[in-house]
Amino acid sequence: MGGAVSAGEDNDDLIDNLKEAYYIRSDLVERAFRAIDRADYYLQDYRDNAYKDLAWRHGNIHLSAPCIYSEVMEALDLHPGLSFLNMGSGTGYLSTMVGLILGPAGVNHGIELHADVIEYANQKLDCFIKTNDSFDKFEFCEPSFVVGNCLEIPPESRQYDRVYCGAGVQKEHEEYMKKLLKLGGILVMPLEEKLTKISRTGPNSWETKKIISVSFAPLVQPKHSGNAPSFPLPNYEVRSLQELARLCIRHVLRVTTDGGDGQSRDRGSSFSVGRGLAVAGLHKYGPRFKRRRIHRRHCNALILATRQVVASSGIGPAPSDSNNYRGEQVEDEEAGEGEERRQMRGSRKAGRGTVAVEDETLEDELVEDEEQEEEKETGELLRPQPAPNVLRQRILGLPLPEPLKMYLLFYREK
């Protein structure tokens, strides 16, 4: 399943394509997708395929197509403080993106059938926490994974605000899935070849919406006959006072950081400072990098529109003269030079808006040409530098012992 949008050059380019195709529709979902590079969840030998809108499988490891994850994230209607259960959590890619929205007050649990995939997911989660700057830009709800079959959840288990199942569900299991939802909760799952959103509107009332047609591998049936053995879901752990203090200090340092855009920060959201620490743009390389990408895409259309404006003013190359009266031709050109300049001024005024945009486009193209020339000379690929990690800089600048600073940084590598 997939192939709904064009492949991207990198993660940001893929997200641009998903936005243009209207798979990503909200800022929260866009920021979550941009914060985590999809290629980080691929095996090294397969990273070249990470930015294609296609599903990927290697052994038990599986990732759905980006367009599917986009629809799922939008349908879940996530916000800080919710509880989330991911049935068939796989690599943890989706659970990690969800954790960026839920924030530290949320609950983020996952069930996965294969123990080796749980190990892979925990490795990727540890890598994200230790090395990805996005961990410092958002308040994170760390996911917890357990090994088990989604159809063997104990009936006395608690319910969740949001539930997603990443395997095909048959009609006979629909009621089983609904029991996992709290009142007002949302369940998203592939039900009979349709990605389906089910909202619990009352104790015994539901609203169902079909989103898109999908093709998922079916849920694995329990091997046990009769009463199947159940397994415990991850525990709800009460945070220690020390951990709460760390979260509070990081939150205060984060929300008081001015990202340079001069906008006030909303302290009530786990994404309240994502914009500030991302240098006033959703792209991790800043707004100019995004603007260049957009200009490249529309350059041909802008130049064509400009040429049409100029052509409509009557300006164009002088018609060729088949006679050999070179002197008369020069005199005619000199005599008409003043008139031609006046016409050019008029045409510039008529097409000022379009020409201004083209000038900006050409300016960016010149910069890119210079960078390409420098790349050829040095043999190195030039790329805009990511924004500095302001939270890390603030923590390292505190008058505290080094072990305490490292604790506040979650012992993250630079």
Side-chain angles (χ1 to χ4, degrees):
M1 183 67 192
V5 301
S6 302
E9 298 176 1
D10 54 25
N11 194 66
D12 275 330
D13 201 26
L14 174 63
I15 307 310
D16 289 343
N17 295 338
L18 291 169
K19 278 178 61 65
E20 290 175 2
Y22 208 60
Y23 283 100
I24 294 179
R25 300 178 288 277
S26 65
D27 285 347
L28 283 180
V29 172
E30 180 183 355
R31 290 180 191 131
F33 269 88
R34 292 198 190 280
I36 300 176
D37 196 323
R38 179 176 167 86
D40 291 342
Y41 288 80
Y42 275 65
L43 294 172
Q44 186 63 37
D45 292 342
Y46 300 91
R47 287 175 64 95
D48 290 343
N49 297 321
Y51 307 123
K52 298 177 181 178
D53 186 34
L54 297 172
W56 172 71
R57 179 180 292 277
H58 182 81
N60 292 326
I61 302 172
H62 175 261
L63 280 168
S64 295
C67 66
I68 301 297
Y69 282 133
S70 304
E71 290 286 6
V72 170
M73 291 281 285
E74 293 288 356
L76 285 171
D77 189 21
L78 298 163
H79 53 82
L82 294 178
S83 57
F84 172 67
L85 176 63
N86 187 358
M87 295 188 289
S89 52
T91 64
Y93 172 65
L94 177 66
S95 293
T96 303
M97 287 195 294
V98 169
L100 294 176
I101 300 178
L102 298 184
V107 174
N108 195 354
H109 291 168
I111 306 171
E112 171 56 45
L113 185 63
H114 304 287
D116 60 325
V117 180
I118 291 281
E119 182 180 357
Y120 184 85
N122 284 324
Q123 291 174 358
K124 294 302 180 182
L125 175 62
D126 184 65
C127 182
F128 168 75
I129 293 175
K130 294 294 178 62
T131 64
N132 195 319
D133 275 354
S134 295
F135 180 79
D136 286 336
K137 295 175 182 177
F138 305 104
E139 296 180 343
F140 185 53
C141 180
E142 184 175 337
S144 299
F145 307 112
V146 293
V147 179
N149 190 306
C150 299
L151 297 176
E152 296 178 339
I153 298 175
E156 66 276 8
S157 296
R158 65 165 298 151
Q159 297 172 319
Y160 292 81
D161 297 303
R162 301 290 187 268
V163 177
Y164 171 65
C165 182
V169 179
Q170 298 303 313
K171 192 67 177 178
E172 59 264 27
H173 295 131
E174 181 179 355
E175 292 301 320
Y176 171 87
M177 295 293 179
K178 288 180 178 180
K179 292 178 181 178
L180 299 170
L181 271 187
K182 288 182 179 180
L183 188 64
I186 295 175
L187 165 65
V188 179
M189 60 181 178
L191 181 62
E192 297 185 319
E193 304 300 317
K194 296 283 187 181
L195 188 63
T196 306
K197 175 180 179 179
I198 300 176
S199 303
R200 187 171 187 177
T201 57
N204 298 300
S205 58
W206 312 83
E207 289 183 358
T208 302
K209 177 183 178 182
K210 304 293 184 181
I211 303 175
I212 55 173
S213 298
V214 293
S215 178
F216 276 69
L219 281 171
V220 176
Q221 301 297 315
K223 297 180 180 180
H224 311 279
S225 59
N227 293 327
S230 60
F231 62 94
L233 289 172
N235 294 324
Y236 282 84
E237 297 181 359
V238 178
R239 298 182 186 272
S240 67
L241 184 61
Q242 181 176 345
E243 188 174 359
L244 290 173
R246 173 168 63 178
L247 292 173
C248 183
I249 293 172
R250 286 171 61 90
H251 176 77
V252 170
L253 292 175
R254 188 183 289 109
V255 298
T256 56
T257 299
D258 183 7
D261 55 3
Q263 298 180 1
S264 61
R265 307 295 177 224
D266 176 11
R267 295 174 179 263
S269 168
S270 65
F271 278 81
S272 59
V273 294
R275 290 185 293 263
L277 292 179
V279 190
L282 294 174
H283 281 261
K284 61 184 176 181
Y285 297 110
R288 181 167 176 80
F289 183 67
K290 178 178 181 181
R291 184 161 58 86
R292 280 194 208 165
R293 189 193 304 278
I294 294 172
H295 283 330
R296 280 202 304 270
R297 290 180 175 178
H298 301 293
C299 179
N300 292 336
L302 291 172
I303 292 176
L304 178 61
T306 304
R307 287 173 178 172
Q308 290 174 347
V309 171
V310 174
S312 65
S313 67
I315 298 177
S320 59
D321 190 350
S322 59
N323 297 323
N324 293 326
Y325 298 112
R326 180 63 182 169
E328 293 180 8
Q329 183 179 0
V330 172
E331 291 176 0
D332 290 342
E333 289 177 355
E334 291 177 351
E337 184 177 348
E339 181 63 24
E340 183 175 328
R341 287 177 180 174
R342 286 192 293 273
Q343 291 179 355
M344 289 181 66
R345 292 192 195 103
S347 66
R348 285 170 185 162
K349 291 179 181 179
R352 181 175 296 171
T354 308
V355 173
V357 177
E358 185 198 15
D359 288 344
E360 188 177 5
T361 303
L362 295 177
E363 177 188 348
D364 283 339
E365 284 187 326
L366 289 174
V367 173
E368 291 176 0
D369 290 341
E370 291 175 0
E371 290 177 351
Q372 290 174 1
E373 290 297 327
E374 189 171 347
E375 288 172 13
K376 293 178 181 178
E377 294 175 2
T378 62
E380 298 179 355
L381 179 63
L382 296 179
R383 190 182 183 92
Q385 293 298 316
N389 189 330
V390 183
L391 178 62
R392 182 182 183 88
Q393 293 175 356
R394 282 177 169 263
I395 291 176
L396 292 176
L398 294 174
L400 297 173
E402 286 301 316
L404 186 52
K405 291 181 182 179
M406 293 308 298
Y407 177 75
L408 291 174
L409 291 170
F410 283 81
Y411 304 98
R412 286 167 42 78
E413 302 172 8
K414 186 174 182 181

